[in-house]
Amino acid sequence: MLVTPGFINTHVHTSGNGGDYLLHDTVKTDYRTANYLSFAAPLQGKMVPPTPEETAALRAFVMLHALKQGSTTIIDVGGWRGDWDGYARLVETLGVRVYTSPPFRDRNTYTDAQGRIYYATDTAAGERGLQEAIAFIRTYDGAAGGRLRGLLNAAQVETCSVPLLRACKDAARELDVPVHTHAGGNLLEFQRILEEYRKTPIQFLADLDFLDERTLIGHGVFTTAHPWTHYPFGDDLRLLAERGATVSHCPYKYAKMAITLHSFQRYRDAGVNVALGTDTYPMDMVAELRWASMLAKITDQNYLAGQPRDVFHAATLAPCRFLRRDDLGRLAPGAKADLLLIRLDHLGAAFYVDPIKALVDFGCGRDVDTVIVDGKVLVAGGRAQHVDEEAIYARAREATQRYWERLPAWHWAGCRVEQIVPPAFPLHRAP
Ligand SMILES: [Zn+2]
């Protein structure tokens, strides 16, 4: 089998992904409401969050789902609140490596009865949220045998005020932890920041002194380099490179929305540190290698773009910069024993000369046979060795079902999930 370092998945919402179907099917006809706003902008006061049990069920599923498909380190960039002691216990039990803290913002997003998005300021909630995140890091950083670590999550660039972003970055420097925010993630956000501050989201964050080597930017798609922004003033890629910030590129999720970076190769050539993440389902880091490589070629119309060594680097060594870890993402003396054994020799695959090229060309997450984190074998023969996969799967499916059942109560048009996601063909089930 191919032995590789475990992948570092730089964009996972461990409890928020019951909304995936809404994200990718609902709103393609209206890109202004696309992306996370499709399920994070409910009718005000109408959304009942999942119970702590449901949140815990989703978290367990997401972490195991990602782990089995090659993510030995997960950057959890936020989702529903829940029981944080339980969260730490879950990381302990599942054996995965996680960087996180509860996300915060001081501008909530809602839709009115006509489906129009608006932002409602709640300064106190932002301050409370940041304090909760700091307390989380003080309590849990280093828990689960050092596998649970702190990272501050200012939710989105346009849902956090200037004072909150400044306070977040100050706290990150004081705690000596990395910081994440979503920026350049959708066109609406790009235009809002431009209107409010006369700058692109990247220029805005750079001027706030928010961008440095410890900063992870979720997506960073809508920049001066993207044709949809029609904004040729300044050079966001140069800014990202100069400040040393890392961009979390989630190629498959964006491809589903007919969007991509312009481009993986151009970012790299400009000196931007690009890491990979899955964001939504399926959290298959092997597939993301291929998507990153192929989309780079298509975007640049250059088959030499998106080389296997470069996308593999993006899943392993690149994220180590903002994490400031030289003991992850590599096979070397002194590095953590976070390893994958990947089976490429079977009838579903082709014969090959170079195993990394083969992995990018035809591998998939289900080829990951063995997952080892911190020297402990967590998955062997493709099966979790330490937890009951079927029970975790069943509980999360139930929690997702309940999330979908509650949808008409908060969706602006009262739609059911079947209306939002019309079946490809009429469905017939056995009686
Ligand atoms: Zn996200």
Side-chain angles (χ1 to χ4, degrees):
M1 284 189 272
L2 168 65
V3 183
T4 77
F7 297 128
I8 299 172
N9 186 341
T10 56
H11 206 103
V12 179
H13 294 272
T14 61
S15 63
N17 288 84
D20 274 23
Y21 261 71
L22 317 187
L23 171 60
H24 293 122
D25 232 296
T26 320
V27 280
K28 281 181 180 156
T29 55
D30 181 359
Y31 69 80
R32 282 178 67 82
T33 61
N35 206 332
Y36 79 98
L37 291 165
S38 60
F39 59 92
L43 290 168
Q44 192 164 0
K46 297 293 184 194
M47 192 179 217
V48 181
T51 63
E53 293 73 32
E54 288 167 353
T55 300
L58 286 168
R59 278 192 180 130
F61 173 75
V62 168
M63 284 186 197
L64 186 61
H65 171 82
L67 178 79
K68 281 189 64 173
Q69 301 188 90
S71 305
T72 54
T73 298
I74 287 172
I75 313 300
D76 182 354
V77 292
W80 299 106
R81 279 165 155 64
D83 159 19
W84 300 125
D85 274 336
Y87 189 105
R89 277 198 305 278
L90 186 62
V91 175
E92 174 71 51
T93 307
L94 289 179
V96 64
R97 207 178 283 288
V98 178
Y99 278 77
T100 197
S101 68
F104 50 85
R105 60 187 191 175
D106 56 5
R107 296 166 172 185
N108 284 314
T109 46
Y110 299 109
T111 29
D112 68 12
Q114 282 75 45
R116 293 172 298 196
I117 281 176
Y118 64 96
Y119 290 68
T121 299
D122 188 344
T123 307
E127 286 165 3
R128 243 188 353 261
L130 174 58
Q131 289 313 316
E132 190 187 351
I134 292 169
F136 177 96
I137 291 172
R138 294 217 161 104
T139 309
Y140 299 109
D141 187 49
R147 284 183 288 98
L148 177 54
R149 300 292 303 272
L151 161 134
L152 281 173
N153 274 312
Q156 295 91 12
V157 65
E158 91 283 22
T159 62
C160 293
S161 64
V162 166
L164 188 60
L165 288 168
R166 281 194 204 282
C168 167
K169 191 61 195 175
D170 288 348
R173 289 194 174 104
E174 197 190 316
L175 293 162
D176 194 21
V177 295
V179 62
H180 166 267
T181 192
H182 293 81
N186 65 72
L187 200 51
L188 179 66
E189 166 235 291
F190 181 92
Q191 288 164 342
R192 279 190 67 92
I193 295 288
L194 200 58
E195 270 172 31
E196 194 171 355
Y197 304 107
R198 298 172 53 101
K199 297 168 187 174
T200 69
I202 298 303
Q203 291 158 11
F204 167 63
L205 290 172
D207 288 350
L208 273 183
D209 203 21
F210 194 91
L211 292 187
D212 61 26
E213 290 219 336
R214 302 228 74 191
T215 306
L216 175 66
I217 295 296
H219 311 312
V221 170
F222 291 105
T223 64
T224 53
H226 198 286
W228 292 9
T229 62
H230 298 293
Y231 193 79
F233 309 108
D235 185 343
D236 285 352
L237 303 195
R238 187 178 52 81
L239 267 180
L240 285 163
E242 277 173 7
R243 302 301 171 98
T246 300
V247 168
S248 173
H249 176 33
C250 304
Y252 184 51
K253 179 240 182 147
Y254 272 82
K256 284 190 272 192
M257 299 189 291
I259 299 169
T260 191
L261 277 188
H262 280 259
S263 66
F264 176 83
Q265 192 63 47
R266 278 182 249 164
Y267 277 49
R268 276 186 57 90
D269 292 348
V272 181
N273 192 45
V274 182
L276 290 185
T278 54
D279 198 352
T280 57
Y281 297 122
M283 298 174 195
D284 176 346
M285 284 293 281
V286 180
E288 297 295 341
L289 298 175
R290 181 155 62 253
W291 280 103
S293 176
M294 294 305 138
L295 288 167
K297 295 176 197 303
I298 290 168
T299 308
D300 289 356
Q301 299 183 39
N302 173 5
Y303 61 81
L304 294 175
Q307 288 288 320
R309 60 165 183 266
D310 294 335
V311 295
F312 190 82
H313 180 277
T316 50
L317 287 176
C320 292
R321 183 193 286 183
F322 76 90
L323 294 174
R324 222 179 250 164
R325 298 287 296 253
D326 55 12
D327 59 348
L328 298 179
R330 69 186 77 214
L331 303 179
K336 295 287 183 196
D338 291 10
L339 308 171
L340 305 175
L341 275 63
I342 305 175
R343 190 178 292 284
L344 293 172
D345 302 343
H346 54 77
L347 266 168
F351 304 108
Y352 55 89
V353 176
D354 177 274
I356 295 295
K357 290 186 171 179
L359 184 69
V360 175
D361 193 17
F362 53 70
C364 93
R366 275 163 276 181
D367 293 335
V368 175
D369 178 278
T370 301
V371 181
I372 301 170
V373 179
D374 219 12
K376 194 170 169 198
V377 178
L378 303 175
V379 176
R383 297 284 301 172
Q385 298 299 293
H386 55 319
V387 287
D388 182 346
E389 283 187 13
E390 277 71 26
I392 287 174
Y393 183 82
R395 278 197 292 270
R397 190 164 64 173
E398 228 171 81
T400 301
Q401 196 58 46
R402 286 197 292 270
Y403 179 91
W404 289 349
E405 280 162 12
R406 290 192 292 262
L407 173 61
W410 59 260
H411 187 268
W412 66 272
C415 287
R416 287 176 288 108
V417 71
E418 297 81 7
Q419 292 171 285
I420 291 173
V421 189
F425 294 103
L427 292 170
H428 300 283
R429 294 186 200 282

PDB file of all heavy atoms in Angstrom, residues 273-304:
ATOM      1  N   ASN A 273       0.076  30.767  -0.187  1.00  0.00           N
ATOM      2  CA  ASN A 273       0.067  29.432   0.402  1.00  0.00           C
ATOM      3  C   ASN A 273      -1.353  28.871   0.301  1.00  0.00           C
ATOM      4  O   ASN A 273      -2.268  29.372   0.959  1.00  0.00           O
ATOM      5  CB  ASN A 273       0.508  29.529   1.871  1.00  0.00           C
ATOM      6  CG  ASN A 273       0.809  28.170   2.465  1.00  0.00           C
ATOM      7  OD1 ASN A 273       1.478  27.340   1.839  1.00  0.00           O
ATOM      8  ND2 ASN A 273       0.314  27.924   3.682  1.00  0.00           N
ATOM      9  N   VAL A 274      -1.556  27.852  -0.528  1.00  0.00           N
ATOM     10  CA  VAL A 274      -2.894  27.283  -0.742  1.00  0.00           C
ATOM     11  C   VAL A 274      -2.978  25.914  -0.081  1.00  0.00           C
ATOM     12  O   VAL A 274      -2.154  25.030  -0.365  1.00  0.00           O
ATOM     13  CB  VAL A 274      -3.230  27.161  -2.249  1.00  0.00           C
ATOM     14  CG1 VAL A 274      -4.640  26.624  -2.429  1.00  0.00           C
ATOM     15  CG2 VAL A 274      -3.075  28.509  -2.949  1.00  0.00           C
ATOM     16  N   ALA A 275      -3.971  25.757   0.796  1.00  0.00           N
ATOM     17  CA  ALA A 275      -4.234  24.471   1.441  1.00  0.00           C
ATOM     18  C   ALA A 275      -5.572  23.952   0.921  1.00  0.00           C
ATOM     19  O   ALA A 275      -6.332  24.699   0.305  1.00  0.00           O
ATOM     20  CB  ALA A 275      -4.282  24.647   2.952  1.00  0.00           C
ATOM     21  N   LEU A 276      -5.860  22.678   1.174  1.00  0.00           N
ATOM     22  CA  LEU A 276      -7.110  22.095   0.700  1.00  0.00           C
ATOM     23  C   LEU A 276      -8.062  21.806   1.850  1.00  0.00           C
ATOM     24  O   LEU A 276      -7.640  21.552   2.982  1.00  0.00           O
ATOM     25  CB  LEU A 276      -6.856  20.785  -0.056  1.00  0.00           C
ATOM     26  CG  LEU A 276      -6.164  20.885  -1.414  1.00  0.00           C
ATOM     27  CD1 LEU A 276      -6.108  19.503  -2.060  1.00  0.00           C
ATOM     28  CD2 LEU A 276      -6.868  21.875  -2.330  1.00  0.00           C
ATOM     29  N   GLY A 277      -9.347  21.866   1.547  1.00  0.00           N
ATOM     30  CA  GLY A 277     -10.378  21.477   2.514  1.00  0.00           C
ATOM     31  C   GLY A 277     -11.549  20.901   1.751  1.00  0.00           C
ATOM     32  O   GLY A 277     -11.648  21.042   0.531  1.00  0.00           O
ATOM     33  N   THR A 278     -12.454  20.261   2.496  1.00  0.00           N
ATOM     34  CA  THR A 278     -13.625  19.681   1.834  1.00  0.00           C
ATOM     35  C   THR A 278     -14.846  20.573   2.001  1.00  0.00           C
ATOM     36  O   THR A 278     -15.695  20.619   1.140  1.00  0.00           O
ATOM     37  CB  THR A 278     -13.958  18.300   2.420  1.00  0.00           C
ATOM     38  OG1 THR A 278     -14.095  18.439   3.839  1.00  0.00           O
ATOM     39  CG2 THR A 278     -12.880  17.300   2.095  1.00  0.00           C
ATOM     40  N   ASP A 279     -14.956  21.233   3.139  1.00  0.00           N
ATOM     41  CA  ASP A 279     -16.145  21.985   3.531  1.00  0.00           C
ATOM     42  C   ASP A 279     -17.337  21.036   3.657  1.00  0.00           C
ATOM     43  O   ASP A 279     -17.691  20.639   4.749  1.00  0.00           O
ATOM     44  CB  ASP A 279     -16.406  23.135   2.548  1.00  0.00           C
ATOM     45  CG  ASP A 279     -17.349  24.187   3.145  1.00  0.00           C
ATOM     46  OD1 ASP A 279     -17.893  23.938   4.233  1.00  0.00           O
ATOM     47  OD2 ASP A 279     -17.532  25.250   2.522  1.00  0.00           O
ATOM     48  N   THR A 280     -17.955  20.672   2.499  1.00  0.00           N
ATOM     49  CA  THR A 280     -19.197  19.901   2.593  1.00  0.00           C
ATOM     50  C   THR A 280     -18.945  18.436   2.222  1.00  0.00           C
ATOM     51  O   THR A 280     -17.811  18.049   1.955  1.00  0.00           O
ATOM     52  CB  THR A 280     -20.235  20.519   1.649  1.00  0.00           C
ATOM     53  OG1 THR A 280     -19.687  20.516   0.348  1.00  0.00           O
ATOM     54  CG2 THR A 280     -20.540  21.951   2.048  1.00  0.00           C
ATOM     55  N   TYR A 281     -20.019  17.667   2.190  1.00  0.00           N
ATOM     56  CA  TYR A 281     -19.912  16.248   1.837  1.00  0.00           C
ATOM     57  C   TYR A 281     -19.633  16.065   0.355  1.00  0.00           C
ATOM     58  O   TYR A 281     -20.054  16.895  -0.429  1.00  0.00           O
ATOM     59  CB  TYR A 281     -21.225  15.536   2.160  1.00  0.00           C
ATOM     60  CG  TYR A 281     -21.597  15.539   3.593  1.00  0.00           C
ATOM     61  CD1 TYR A 281     -22.816  16.096   3.991  1.00  0.00           C
ATOM     62  CD2 TYR A 281     -20.765  15.002   4.567  1.00  0.00           C
ATOM     63  CE1 TYR A 281     -23.189  16.084   5.322  1.00  0.00           C
ATOM     64  CE2 TYR A 281     -21.125  14.998   5.901  1.00  0.00           C
ATOM     65  CZ  TYR A 281     -22.342  15.542   6.275  1.00  0.00           C
ATOM     66  OH  TYR A 281     -22.715  15.533   7.581  1.00  0.00           O
ATOM     67  N   PRO A 282     -18.996  14.996  -0.018  1.00  0.00           N
ATOM     68  CA  PRO A 282     -18.344  14.007   0.821  1.00  0.00           C
ATOM     69  C   PRO A 282     -16.961  14.527   1.227  1.00  0.00           C
ATOM     70  O   PRO A 282     -16.286  15.130   0.420  1.00  0.00           O
ATOM     71  CB  PRO A 282     -18.201  12.804  -0.118  1.00  0.00           C
ATOM     72  CG  PRO A 282     -18.066  13.408  -1.475  1.00  0.00           C
ATOM     73  CD  PRO A 282     -18.862  14.687  -1.461  1.00  0.00           C
ATOM     74  N   MET A 283     -16.600  14.339   2.463  1.00  0.00           N
ATOM     75  CA  MET A 283     -15.336  14.904   2.949  1.00  0.00           C
ATOM     76  C   MET A 283     -14.196  13.952   2.595  1.00  0.00           C
ATOM     77  O   MET A 283     -13.644  13.262   3.443  1.00  0.00           O
ATOM     78  CB  MET A 283     -15.456  15.171   4.449  1.00  0.00           C
ATOM     79  CG  MET A 283     -16.565  16.200   4.707  1.00  0.00           C
ATOM     80  SD  MET A 283     -16.903  16.451   6.411  1.00  0.00           S
ATOM     81  CE  MET A 283     -18.489  17.314   6.282  1.00  0.00           C
ATOM     82  N   ASP A 284     -13.938  13.911   1.314  1.00  0.00           N
ATOM     83  CA  ASP A 284     -13.012  12.949   0.729  1.00  0.00           C
ATOM     84  C   ASP A 284     -11.790  13.714   0.228  1.00  0.00           C
ATOM     85  O   ASP A 284     -11.809  14.304  -0.846  1.00  0.00           O
ATOM     86  CB  ASP A 284     -13.741  12.233  -0.422  1.00  0.00           C
ATOM     87  CG  ASP A 284     -12.849  11.258  -1.190  1.00  0.00           C
ATOM     88  OD1 ASP A 284     -11.609  11.317  -1.028  1.00  0.00           O
ATOM     89  OD2 ASP A 284     -13.394  10.455  -1.963  1.00  0.00           O
ATOM     90  N   MET A 285     -10.731  13.714   1.008  1.00  0.00           N
ATOM     91  CA  MET A 285      -9.546  14.511   0.663  1.00  0.00           C
ATOM     92  C   MET A 285      -8.833  13.963  -0.578  1.00  0.00           C
ATOM     93  O   MET A 285      -8.161  14.711  -1.279  1.00  0.00           O
ATOM     94  CB  MET A 285      -8.590  14.588   1.855  1.00  0.00           C
ATOM     95  CG  MET A 285      -9.055  15.554   2.926  1.00  0.00           C
ATOM     96  SD  MET A 285      -9.035  17.297   2.387  1.00  0.00           S
ATOM     97  CE  MET A 285      -7.294  17.678   2.559  1.00  0.00           C
ATOM     98  N   VAL A 286      -8.979  12.659  -0.835  1.00  0.00           N
ATOM     99  CA  VAL A 286      -8.350  12.111  -2.048  1.00  0.00           C
ATOM    100  C   VAL A 286      -9.037  12.691  -3.279  1.00  0.00           C
ATOM    101  O   VAL A 286      -8.385  13.129  -4.238  1.00  0.00           O
ATOM    102  CB  VAL A 286      -8.398  10.568  -2.052  1.00  0.00           C
ATOM    103  CG1 VAL A 286      -7.737  10.022  -3.306  1.00  0.00           C
ATOM    104  CG2 VAL A 286      -7.728  10.001  -0.793  1.00  0.00           C
ATOM    105  N   ALA A 287     -10.364  12.737  -3.235  1.00  0.00           N
ATOM    106  CA  ALA A 287     -11.107  13.319  -4.360  1.00  0.00           C
ATOM    107  C   ALA A 287     -10.757  14.794  -4.533  1.00  0.00           C
ATOM    108  O   ALA A 287     -10.660  15.288  -5.657  1.00  0.00           O
ATOM    109  CB  ALA A 287     -12.607  13.162  -4.134  1.00  0.00           C
ATOM    110  N   GLU A 288     -10.557  15.495  -3.410  1.00  0.00           N
ATOM    111  CA  GLU A 288     -10.229  16.927  -3.512  1.00  0.00           C
ATOM    112  C   GLU A 288      -8.900  17.149  -4.238  1.00  0.00           C
ATOM    113  O   GLU A 288      -8.722  18.148  -4.918  1.00  0.00           O
ATOM    114  CB  GLU A 288     -10.171  17.582  -2.129  1.00  0.00           C
ATOM    115  CG  GLU A 288     -11.488  17.571  -1.362  1.00  0.00           C
ATOM    116  CD  GLU A 288     -12.616  18.386  -1.989  1.00  0.00           C
ATOM    117  OE1 GLU A 288     -12.333  19.259  -2.837  1.00  0.00           O
ATOM    118  OE2 GLU A 288     -13.774  18.123  -1.623  1.00  0.00           O
ATOM    119  N   LEU A 289      -7.961  16.201  -4.076  1.00  0.00           N
ATOM    120  CA  LEU A 289      -6.689  16.322  -4.805  1.00  0.00           C
ATOM    121  C   LEU A 289      -6.962  16.380  -6.307  1.00  0.00           C
ATOM    122  O   LEU A 289      -6.403  17.195  -7.030  1.00  0.00           O
ATOM    123  CB  LEU A 289      -5.775  15.123  -4.510  1.00  0.00           C
ATOM    124  CG  LEU A 289      -5.302  14.888  -3.075  1.00  0.00           C
ATOM    125  CD1 LEU A 289      -4.523  13.574  -3.006  1.00  0.00           C
ATOM    126  CD2 LEU A 289      -4.442  16.040  -2.583  1.00  0.00           C
ATOM    127  N   ARG A 290      -7.849  15.477  -6.744  1.00  0.00           N
ATOM    128  CA  ARG A 290      -8.147  15.410  -8.185  1.00  0.00           C
ATOM    129  C   ARG A 290      -8.913  16.654  -8.641  1.00  0.00           C
ATOM    130  O   ARG A 290      -8.608  17.228  -9.682  1.00  0.00           O
ATOM    131  CB  ARG A 290      -8.936  14.142  -8.517  1.00  0.00           C
ATOM    132  CG  ARG A 290      -9.248  14.020  -9.999  1.00  0.00           C
ATOM    133  CD  ARG A 290      -9.453  12.594 -10.446  1.00  0.00           C
ATOM    134  NE  ARG A 290     -10.552  11.920  -9.814  1.00  0.00           N
ATOM    135  CZ  ARG A 290     -10.433  10.959  -8.892  1.00  0.00           C
ATOM    136  NH1 ARG A 290      -9.253  10.564  -8.502  1.00  0.00           N
ATOM    137  NH2 ARG A 290     -11.494  10.395  -8.364  1.00  0.00           N
ATOM    138  N   TRP A 291      -9.902  17.066  -7.840  1.00  0.00           N
ATOM    139  CA  TRP A 291     -10.664  18.269  -8.213  1.00  0.00           C
ATOM    140  C   TRP A 291      -9.738  19.489  -8.292  1.00  0.00           C
ATOM    141  O   TRP A 291      -9.848  20.285  -9.223  1.00  0.00           O
ATOM    142  CB  TRP A 291     -11.791  18.523  -7.206  1.00  0.00           C
ATOM    143  CG  TRP A 291     -12.973  17.653  -7.461  1.00  0.00           C
ATOM    144  CD1 TRP A 291     -13.342  16.539  -6.776  1.00  0.00           C
ATOM    145  CD2 TRP A 291     -13.937  17.820  -8.497  1.00  0.00           C
ATOM    146  NE1 TRP A 291     -14.482  15.996  -7.322  1.00  0.00           N
ATOM    147  CE2 TRP A 291     -14.861  16.763  -8.375  1.00  0.00           C
ATOM    148  CE3 TRP A 291     -14.104  18.754  -9.526  1.00  0.00           C
ATOM    149  CZ2 TRP A 291     -15.949  16.629  -9.244  1.00  0.00           C
ATOM    150  CZ3 TRP A 291     -15.192  18.617 -10.384  1.00  0.00           C
ATOM    151  CH2 TRP A 291     -16.104  17.556 -10.235  1.00  0.00           C
ATOM    152  N   ALA A 292      -8.841  19.621  -7.332  1.00  0.00           N
ATOM    153  CA  ALA A 292      -7.932  20.782  -7.338  1.00  0.00           C
ATOM    154  C   ALA A 292      -7.076  20.762  -8.592  1.00  0.00           C
ATOM    155  O   ALA A 292      -6.890  21.778  -9.268  1.00  0.00           O
ATOM    156  CB  ALA A 292      -7.051  20.769  -6.085  1.00  0.00           C
ATOM    157  N   SER A 293      -6.566  19.588  -8.928  1.00  0.00           N
ATOM    158  CA  SER A 293      -5.699  19.452 -10.088  1.00  0.00           C
ATOM    159  C   SER A 293      -6.461  19.745 -11.381  1.00  0.00           C
ATOM    160  O   SER A 293      -6.018  20.525 -12.226  1.00  0.00           O
ATOM    161  CB  SER A 293      -5.110  18.039 -10.105  1.00  0.00           C
ATOM    162  OG  SER A 293      -4.336  17.853 -11.252  1.00  0.00           O
ATOM    163  N   MET A 294      -7.648  19.119 -11.523  1.00  0.00           N
ATOM    164  CA  MET A 294      -8.408  19.264 -12.779  1.00  0.00           C
ATOM    165  C   MET A 294      -8.925  20.687 -12.961  1.00  0.00           C
ATOM    166  O   MET A 294      -8.877  21.244 -14.062  1.00  0.00           O
ATOM    167  CB  MET A 294      -9.596  18.275 -12.800  1.00  0.00           C
ATOM    168  CG  MET A 294      -9.179  16.826 -12.848  1.00  0.00           C
ATOM    169  SD  MET A 294      -8.084  16.475 -14.241  1.00  0.00           S
ATOM    170  CE  MET A 294      -6.896  15.413 -13.461  1.00  0.00           C
ATOM    171  N   LEU A 295      -9.433  21.273 -11.880  1.00  0.00           N
ATOM    172  CA  LEU A 295      -9.982  22.634 -12.009  1.00  0.00           C
ATOM    173  C   LEU A 295      -8.884  23.637 -12.336  1.00  0.00           C
ATOM    174  O   LEU A 295      -9.125  24.614 -13.048  1.00  0.00           O
ATOM    175  CB  LEU A 295     -10.735  23.029 -10.742  1.00  0.00           C
ATOM    176  CG  LEU A 295     -12.077  22.301 -10.578  1.00  0.00           C
ATOM    177  CD1 LEU A 295     -12.621  22.482  -9.176  1.00  0.00           C
ATOM    178  CD2 LEU A 295     -13.083  22.796 -11.619  1.00  0.00           C
ATOM    179  N   ALA A 296      -7.686  23.403 -11.827  1.00  0.00           N
ATOM    180  CA  ALA A 296      -6.566  24.286 -12.166  1.00  0.00           C
ATOM    181  C   ALA A 296      -6.290  24.225 -13.667  1.00  0.00           C
ATOM    182  O   ALA A 296      -6.094  25.246 -14.327  1.00  0.00           O
ATOM    183  CB  ALA A 296      -5.316  23.879 -11.385  1.00  0.00           C
ATOM    184  N   LYS A 297      -6.333  23.001 -14.219  1.00  0.00           N
ATOM    185  CA  LYS A 297      -6.073  22.837 -15.666  1.00  0.00           C
ATOM    186  C   LYS A 297      -7.162  23.525 -16.483  1.00  0.00           C
ATOM    187  O   LYS A 297      -6.881  24.224 -17.462  1.00  0.00           O
ATOM    188  CB  LYS A 297      -6.032  21.345 -16.021  1.00  0.00           C
ATOM    189  CG  LYS A 297      -4.875  20.590 -15.370  1.00  0.00           C
ATOM    190  CD  LYS A 297      -4.966  19.110 -15.701  1.00  0.00           C
ATOM    191  CE  LYS A 297      -4.112  18.260 -14.770  1.00  0.00           C
ATOM    192  NZ  LYS A 297      -2.697  18.604 -14.736  1.00  0.00           N
ATOM    193  N   ILE A 298      -8.409  23.296 -16.087  1.00  0.00           N
ATOM    194  CA  ILE A 298      -9.533  23.837 -16.864  1.00  0.00           C
ATOM    195  C   ILE A 298      -9.554  25.364 -16.777  1.00  0.00           C
ATOM    196  O   ILE A 298      -9.724  26.050 -17.786  1.00  0.00           O
ATOM    197  CB  ILE A 298     -10.860  23.231 -16.361  1.00  0.00           C
ATOM    198  CG1 ILE A 298     -10.907  21.747 -16.755  1.00  0.00           C
ATOM    199  CG2 ILE A 298     -12.058  23.981 -16.931  1.00  0.00           C
ATOM    200  CD1 ILE A 298     -12.011  20.972 -16.080  1.00  0.00           C
ATOM    201  N   THR A 299      -9.361  25.876 -15.568  1.00  0.00           N
ATOM    202  CA  THR A 299      -9.434  27.331 -15.386  1.00  0.00           C
ATOM    203  C   THR A 299      -8.356  28.038 -16.208  1.00  0.00           C
ATOM    204  O   THR A 299      -8.613  29.067 -16.815  1.00  0.00           O
ATOM    205  CB  THR A 299      -9.274  27.678 -13.895  1.00  0.00           C
ATOM    206  OG1 THR A 299     -10.202  26.890 -13.157  1.00  0.00           O
ATOM    207  CG2 THR A 299      -9.557  29.143 -13.628  1.00  0.00           C
ATOM    208  N   ASP A 300      -7.164  27.464 -16.189  1.00  0.00           N
ATOM    209  CA  ASP A 300      -6.060  28.099 -16.923  1.00  0.00           C
ATOM    210  C   ASP A 300      -5.943  27.606 -18.370  1.00  0.00           C
ATOM    211  O   ASP A 300      -5.111  28.106 -19.116  1.00  0.00           O
ATOM    212  CB  ASP A 300      -4.726  27.814 -16.206  1.00  0.00           C
ATOM    213  CG  ASP A 300      -4.612  28.566 -14.893  1.00  0.00           C
ATOM    214  OD1 ASP A 300      -5.528  29.362 -14.598  1.00  0.00           O
ATOM    215  OD2 ASP A 300      -3.617  28.366 -14.181  1.00  0.00           O
ATOM    216  N   GLN A 301      -6.775  26.625 -18.737  1.00  0.00           N
ATOM    217  CA  GLN A 301      -6.660  25.984 -20.052  1.00  0.00           C
ATOM    218  C   GLN A 301      -5.207  25.584 -20.324  1.00  0.00           C
ATOM    219  O   GLN A 301      -4.628  25.870 -21.377  1.00  0.00           O
ATOM    220  CB  GLN A 301      -7.199  26.907 -21.144  1.00  0.00           C
ATOM    221  CG  GLN A 301      -8.671  27.227 -20.924  1.00  0.00           C
ATOM    222  CD  GLN A 301      -9.275  28.080 -22.005  1.00  0.00           C
ATOM    223  OE1 GLN A 301      -8.977  27.903 -23.185  1.00  0.00           O
ATOM    224  NE2 GLN A 301     -10.134  29.000 -21.625  1.00  0.00           N
ATOM    225  N   ASN A 302      -4.647  24.930 -19.294  1.00  0.00           N
ATOM    226  CA  ASN A 302      -3.242  24.556 -19.351  1.00  0.00           C
ATOM    227  C   ASN A 302      -3.092  23.220 -18.626  1.00  0.00           C
ATOM    228  O   ASN A 302      -3.279  23.143 -17.413  1.00  0.00           O
ATOM    229  CB  ASN A 302      -2.411  25.645 -18.648  1.00  0.00           C
ATOM    230  CG  ASN A 302      -0.944  25.253 -18.521  1.00  0.00           C
ATOM    231  OD1 ASN A 302      -0.506  24.220 -19.031  1.00  0.00           O
ATOM    232  ND2 ASN A 302      -0.189  26.080 -17.812  1.00  0.00           N
ATOM    233  N   TYR A 303      -2.789  22.172 -19.387  1.00  0.00           N
ATOM    234  CA  TYR A 303      -2.736  20.847 -18.742  1.00  0.00           C
ATOM    235  C   TYR A 303      -1.529  20.671 -17.841  1.00  0.00           C
ATOM    236  O   TYR A 303      -1.428  19.691 -17.108  1.00  0.00           O
ATOM    237  CB  TYR A 303      -2.851  19.708 -19.777  1.00  0.00           C
ATOM    238  CG  TYR A 303      -1.753  19.659 -20.808  1.00  0.00           C
ATOM    239  CD1 TYR A 303      -0.527  19.089 -20.506  1.00  0.00           C
ATOM    240  CD2 TYR A 303      -1.952  20.169 -22.084  1.00  0.00           C
ATOM    241  CE1 TYR A 303       0.485  19.044 -21.442  1.00  0.00           C
ATOM    242  CE2 TYR A 303      -0.950  20.125 -23.038  1.00  0.00           C
ATOM    243  CZ  TYR A 303       0.281  19.572 -22.695  1.00  0.00           C
ATOM    244  OH  TYR A 303       1.266  19.529 -23.624  1.00  0.00           O
ATOM    245  N   LEU A 304      -0.617  21.628 -17.870  1.00  0.00           N
ATOM    246  CA  LEU A 304       0.528  21.545 -16.957  1.00  0.00           C
ATOM    247  C   LEU A 304       0.221  22.166 -15.583  1.00  0.00           C
ATOM    248  O   LEU A 304       1.002  22.034 -14.650  1.00  0.00           O
ATOM    249  CB  LEU A 304       1.748  22.233 -17.573  1.00  0.00           C
ATOM    250  CG  LEU A 304       2.298  21.550 -18.827  1.00  0.00           C
ATOM    251  CD1 LEU A 304       3.428  22.375 -19.436  1.00  0.00           C
ATOM    252  CD2 LEU A 304       2.788  20.136 -18.512  1.00  0.00           C
TER     253      LEU A 304
END
